[in-house]
């Protein structure tokens, strides 16, 4: 089986939405990626094979790993978080505890639907052999693993993702620019009936005398062609070739990271705003779609449930009535991350010789130019 580990240095080979002249709003970080949030690292394992050893169908799949505090950080240190389900036909483990306690520990992983269990157990195996500092009052771990279905291109019933792939993604996580499109968990995904996959973006927000970053990574696998909008332009009405579906078939996982000090309730509010960015691309969020959004903050490391935590802890947070710029930045970053996933993706033939075509860059530019929405 061919397995490709995609590192940060792989990112330069793929165009991005802004390279086409698409005028997205907001100021981005240096990488325009979730890794613009200091400490956040991302790793991929991309699994592609036409003749799997199992004798089943081809592999067009993988795993994406997000380490909120990096490989060298305290893996079991709680990370404050909030979760929102825009439509719940999907799965993200660990969210019951996030709703209850407002935090999670360890990495976040995204993969295909039928590999969720394998990835969950593999993260546990990876973490229990890591040094366990004073963080964490419990003897168990509740990993966060999300999924979307790549069954159109990948034989999900073959369980192509293994513990070795999970370890590869986790051990290879790094900062810097990120590869997008047909990589990691996004390898076999479809977006608005074009090839979709992994996308990322970030925004810089100046607030109350401080500068904060909010970054997003999506696994985009949703939408039907006629509804596709890019920056408000009905692109899907004009690009009508290579249609696949009559109705909604897929899902999206959106993970948001920020260094802004926020309480769990505020992070849940941020996660809800991810839905606005998803909606800007035109989807009404179909019944069959699992649209799951998670936001976390790397701030407040000391305000955690560690063995040496004081009886009364301190938690820094921004006032609720000053969060509007973060909300706006969230919607902007999610929208751009989705379009980045489509722009970077390449056409793919997979299970049962099905073809999913990539979006044509020149065609997108022509439509956007006709609507006066292209930077020249």
């Amino acid at each position: 089986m061919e397995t490709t580990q995609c590192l940060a240095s792989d990112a330069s080979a793929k165009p991005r939405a802004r390279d086409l002249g698409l005028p997205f709003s907001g100021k981005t970080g240096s990488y325009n990626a979730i890794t613009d949030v200091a400490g956040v690292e991302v790793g991929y394992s991309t699994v592609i094979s036409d003749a799997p050893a199992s004798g089943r169908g081809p592999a067009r799949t993988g795993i994406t790993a997000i380490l909120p505090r990096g490989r060298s950080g305290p893996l079991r240190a709680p990370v404050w978080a909030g979760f929102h389900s825009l439509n719940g036909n999907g799965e993200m483990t660990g969210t019951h505890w996030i709703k209850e306690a407002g935090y999670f520990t360890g990495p976040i992983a995204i993969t295909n639907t039928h590999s969720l269990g394998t990835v969950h157990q593999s993260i546990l195996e990876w973490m229990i052999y890591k040094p366990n500092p004073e963080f964490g009052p419990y003897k168990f771990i509740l990993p966060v693993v999300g999924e979307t279905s790549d069954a159109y291109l990948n034989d999900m019933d073959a369980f192509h993702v293994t513990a070795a792939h999970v370890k590869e993604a986790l051990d290879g996580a790094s900062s810097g620019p990120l590869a997008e499109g047909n990589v990691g968990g996004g390898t076999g995904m479809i977006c608005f009936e074009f090839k979709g996959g992994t996308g990322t973006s970030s925004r810089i927000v100046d607030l109350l005398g401080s500068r904060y970053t909010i970054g997003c990574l999506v696994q985009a696998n949703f939408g039907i062609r006629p509804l596709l909008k890019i920056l408000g332009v009905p692109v899907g009405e004009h690009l009508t070739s290579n249609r696949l579906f009559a109705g909604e078939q897929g899902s999206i996982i959106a993970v948001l990271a920020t260094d802004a000090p926020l309480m769990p309730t505020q992070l849940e509010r941020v996660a809800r705003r991810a839905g606005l960015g998803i909606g800007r691309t035109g989807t009404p969020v179909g019944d069959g779609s699992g649209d799951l959004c998670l936001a976390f903050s790397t701030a407040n490391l000391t305000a955690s449930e560690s063995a040496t935590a004081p009886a009364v802890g301190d938690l820094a947070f921004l006032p609720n009535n000053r969060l509007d710029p973060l909300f706006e930045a969230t919607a902007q970053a999610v929208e751009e991350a989705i379009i980045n996933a489509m722009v970077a993706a390449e056409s793919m033939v997979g299970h049962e010789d099905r073809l999913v075509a990539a979006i044509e860059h020149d065609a997108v530019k022509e439509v956007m130019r006709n609507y006066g929405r292209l930077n020249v």
Side-chain angles (χ1 to χ4, degrees), residues 1-2 47-60 154-155 158-160:
M1 178 175 294
E2 177 184 351
V47 186
I48 297 176
S49 176
D50 289 326
S54 65
R56 294 192 58 92
R60 302 286 188 272
N154 173 55
D155 183 359
F159 303 104
H160 293 301

Side-chain angles (χ1 to χ4, degrees), residues 18-271:
R18 291 179 183 236
D19 296 329
L20 304 187
L22 303 181
F24 287 95
S25 300
K27 180 180 180 180
T28 74
S30 299
Y31 310 128
N32 192 14
I34 193 172
T35 46
D36 283 314
V37 179
V40 175
E41 296 178 351
V42 175
Y44 301 127
S45 182
T46 299
V47 186
I48 297 176
S49 176
D50 289 326
S54 65
R56 294 192 58 92
R60 302 286 188 272
T61 192
I63 170 187
T64 300
I66 303 169
L67 279 64
R69 303 195 190 280
R71 287 181 294 156
S72 62
L75 285 174
R76 297 198 187 190
V79 179
W80 300 110
F83 170 76
H84 176 66
S85 172
L86 191 61
N87 194 68
N89 196 350
E91 182 62 84
M92 181 179 284
T93 67
T95 55
H96 291 294
W97 185 237
I98 291 172
K99 285 279 191 179
E100 179 73 23
Y103 73 84
F104 66 92
T105 59
I108 302 165
I110 320 174
T111 188
N112 74 69
T113 307
H114 287 186
S115 294
L116 185 141
T118 297
V119 173
H120 188 278
Q121 180 169 337
S122 300
I123 289 175
L124 288 172
E125 293 171 351
W126 185 78
M127 286 191 68
I128 63 175
Y129 293 110
K130 298 291 182 182
N132 183 12
E134 71 273 13
F135 295 102
Y138 305 115
K139 294 185 180 298
F140 56 83
I141 308 166
L142 297 172
V144 177
V145 185
E147 55 76 28
T148 62
S149 173
D150 54 16
Y152 191 82
L153 288 169
N154 173 55
D155 183 359
M156 290 203 311
D157 295 342
F159 303 104
H160 293 301
V161 175
T162 68
H165 298 129
V166 178
K167 185 176 186 300
E168 179 183 53
L170 292 166
D171 287 344
S174 63
S175 184
L178 297 177
E180 296 172 293
N182 304 359
V183 296
T187 299
M189 303 303 169
I190 301 166
C191 193
F192 289 100
E193 301 176 68
F194 291 114
K195 187 65 188 68
T198 303
T200 189
S201 185
S202 70
R203 292 296 185 275
I204 303 298
V205 177
D206 292 313
L207 190 59
L208 297 176
S210 296
R211 174 161 290 186
Y212 301 109
T213 302
I214 186 158
C216 173
L217 185 142
V218 301
Q219 186 162 292
N221 187 55
F222 70 101
I224 55 174
R225 184 72 56 78
L227 301 182
L228 172 61
K229 290 182 172 59
I230 298 178
L231 294 170
V233 174
V235 172
E237 296 179 6
H238 299 276
L239 306 185
T240 58
S241 60
N242 298 307
R243 290 287 310 277
L244 301 174
F245 312 125
E248 176 64 67
Q249 298 288 309
S251 306
I252 180 171
I253 300 293
V255 177
L256 293 141
T258 185
D259 55 8
L262 300 176
M263 295 185 293
T265 53
Q266 295 174 318
L267 287 161
E268 183 177 342
R269 298 180 74 194
V270 170

